[in-house]
């Protein structure tokens, strides 16, 4: 990087509180954004929703850009997360995918070698070109203080949907495959590890300033398999990104990992740990390096409830993290019945340091 570029890179970071935290700085008040901040709880999202199905919304840069910007306009969030989905990767690999109203995602399950062989890593770059176009537009459109976040699902969580063929509480078919046909399961995870890293590098080159890895089902695994199917592939992705695009930060979200979260943070090399609703962030803070940024972790149902409980809990989380790098967020996504004015109240509470 020449001198002019490195100066402009640091000037850019200085104006973005979320990027400063990802670099290890304890910014006060903490930057705030919310998982699923663009979603059904917003009337302007519901208005667009009737115009196109879910995948069309993800794959049409005009629509995806507009949906990403909606919560930024309303709340001036510190982070704008690309409107897309973790299941865009299986779709781009060639797996059939439908989002069915009331049911959620439906995929043609991958359960044998023939089905795996039909997937093609070569298709991913072209199939995801509209996502990169969305990021380029967002990079131009966002306020200078807002950090643009790209994302992907982690290999294990994406494999859960690919093998099961949709959502599930237990993902028993997937966990059976991991135990009974480890060669097939490992081949699927390898394919996902490679293509996820490539796809994220593409997102970074198109304008994503940091990326998040969602491992929503990491907590289903016992420790030995957690190390194998969650920590190891995540470490490979983080190493690839750090080597290919030095300086770009990766936020890891090993949901429901419980006591394994601190080991995940230490062993994967992620630059920040996103904590789920059940995590005791003060305890996790004591188990990871003091410079490791933590993100989280208000209960989405407390946000939905609003009122005094919301203000009290939001302040408690914020104040407990004071003095260490912290990004305020929920412990999981905003739920659809959340009143939009509760989100406004939350953002105001986090930013009001007089209280
Ligand atoms: O039209 C709609 O309301 C569809 C709902 C919806 C939305 C708004 C889906 C279907 N995906 C999304 C967007 C989305 N998904 C984002 C966009 C950015 C933002 O946060 O605002 C992100 C980051 C995701 C990530 C995602 N998709 C995860 C990981 C996070 C988590 O929630 O645990 C997972 C597991 C998915 C799969 C998925 N996509 C959609 C649904 C309903 C589901 C869950 C399916 C299930 O398990 O039953």
């Amino acid at each position: 990087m020449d001198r002019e570029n490195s100066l402009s890179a640091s000037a850019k970071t200085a104006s973005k509180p979320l990027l400063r935290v990802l670099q290890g700085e304890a910014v006060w008040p903490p930057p705030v954004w919310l998982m699923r901040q663009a979603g059904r709880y917003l009337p302007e999202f519901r208005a667009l929703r009737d115009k196109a199905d879910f995948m069309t919304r993800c794959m049409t840069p005009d629509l995806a850009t507009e949906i990403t910007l909606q919560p930024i306009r309303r709340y001036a969030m510190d982070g704008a997360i690309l409107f897309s989905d973790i299941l865009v990767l299986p779709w781009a690999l060639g797996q059939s995918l439908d989002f069915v109203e009331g049911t959620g995602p439906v995929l043609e399950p991958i359960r044998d070698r023939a089905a795996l062989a039909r997937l093609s890593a070569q298709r991913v770059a072209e199939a995801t070109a509209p996502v990169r176009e969305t990021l380029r537009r967002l990079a131009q459109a966002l306020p200078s203080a807002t950090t643009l976040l790209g994302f992907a699902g982690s290999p294990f969580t994406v494999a859960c949907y690919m093998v099961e063929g949709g959502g599930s509480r237990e993902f028993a078919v997937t966990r059976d495959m991991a135990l009974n046909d480890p060669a097939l399961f490992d081949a699927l995870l390898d394919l996902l590890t490679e293509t996820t890293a490539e796809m994220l590098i593409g997102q970074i080159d198109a304008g994503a300033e940091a990326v998040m890895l969602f491992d929503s089902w990491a907590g289903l695994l016992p420790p030995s398999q957690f190390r194998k199917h969650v920590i190891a592939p995540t470490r490979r992705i983080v190493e690839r990104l750090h080597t290919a695009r030095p300086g770009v930060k990766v936020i890891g979200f090993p949901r429901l990992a419980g006591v394994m979260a601190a080991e995940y943070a230490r062993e994967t090399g992620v630059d920040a740990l996103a904590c789920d609703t059940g995590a005791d962030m003060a305890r996790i803070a004591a188990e990871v390096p003091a410079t490791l940024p933590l993100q989280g972790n208000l209960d989405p149902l407390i946000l939905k409830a609003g009122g005094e409980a919301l203000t009290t809990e939001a302040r408690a989380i914020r104040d407990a993290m004071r003095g260490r790098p912290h990004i305020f967020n929920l412990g999981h996504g905003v739920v659809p019945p959340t009143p939009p004015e509760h989100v406004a109240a939350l953002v105001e509470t986090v930013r009001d340091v007089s209280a």
Side-chain angles (χ1 to χ4, degrees), residues 36-38 40 49 54 57 84-85 99 151 161 216 332:
R36 289 279 165 100
Q37 62 190 13
R40 265 184 288 168
R49 208 167 164 242
F54 182 73
R57 277 178 270 145
S84 181
D85 197 82
F99 281 90
F151 75 91
Y161 288 96
S216 304
H332 201 194

Side-chain angles (χ1 to χ4, degrees), residues 199-239:
M199 188 177 71
L200 288 175
I201 290 170
Q203 290 187 11
I204 292 161
D205 291 345
E209 297 167 297
V211 295
M212 179 153 163
L213 277 171
F214 288 88
D215 217 337
S216 304
W217 300 107
L220 291 177
L221 295 171
S224 59
Q225 289 187 62
F226 182 92
R227 292 184 181 112
K228 203 161 169 257
H229 301 315
V230 171
I231 291 182
T234 302
R235 180 169 49 217
R236 274 169 63 195
I237 292 170
V238 173
E239 278 170 359

Side-chain angles (χ1 to χ4, degrees), residues 165-189:
S168 161
R169 259 182 35 184
E170 296 275 341
F171 291 96
V173 180
T174 312
R175 291 187 294 130
D176 266 339
M177 184 198 283
L179 295 170
N180 297 325
D181 194 346
L184 178 60
F185 193 68
D186 288 351
L188 176 59
L189 282 197

Side-chain angles (χ1 to χ4, degrees), residues 1 4-16 20 23:
M1 210 184 260
E4 198 178 319
N5 271 340
S6 88
L7 279 179
S8 66
S10 61
K12 195 170 101 174
T13 304
S15 69
K16 295 181 187 264
R20 283 166 54 203
Q23 269 153 22

Side-chain angles (χ1 to χ4, degrees), residues 249-302:
K249 305 299 184 188
V250 184
I251 306 170
F253 180 44
R255 195 168 74 93
L256 305 175
V259 293
M260 297 301 287
E263 182 174 327
Y264 169 98
R266 289 191 302 266
E267 298 294 325
T268 58
V270 291
D271 302 289
L273 179 68
C275 299
D276 61 54
T277 304
D280 180 348
M281 282 217 297
R283 197 193 297 175
I284 289 181
E287 292 175 9
V288 298
T291 50
L292 184 84
L294 296 182
Q295 176 173 285
N297 76 340
L298 183 77
D299 182 353
L301 294 186
I302 295 182

Side-chain angles (χ1 to χ4, degrees), residues 321-340:
M321 292 292 110
R322 187 166 190 176
R324 65 154 19 259
H326 174 223
I327 299 161
F328 196 99
N329 205 313
L330 302 177
H332 201 194
V334 178
V335 293
T338 302

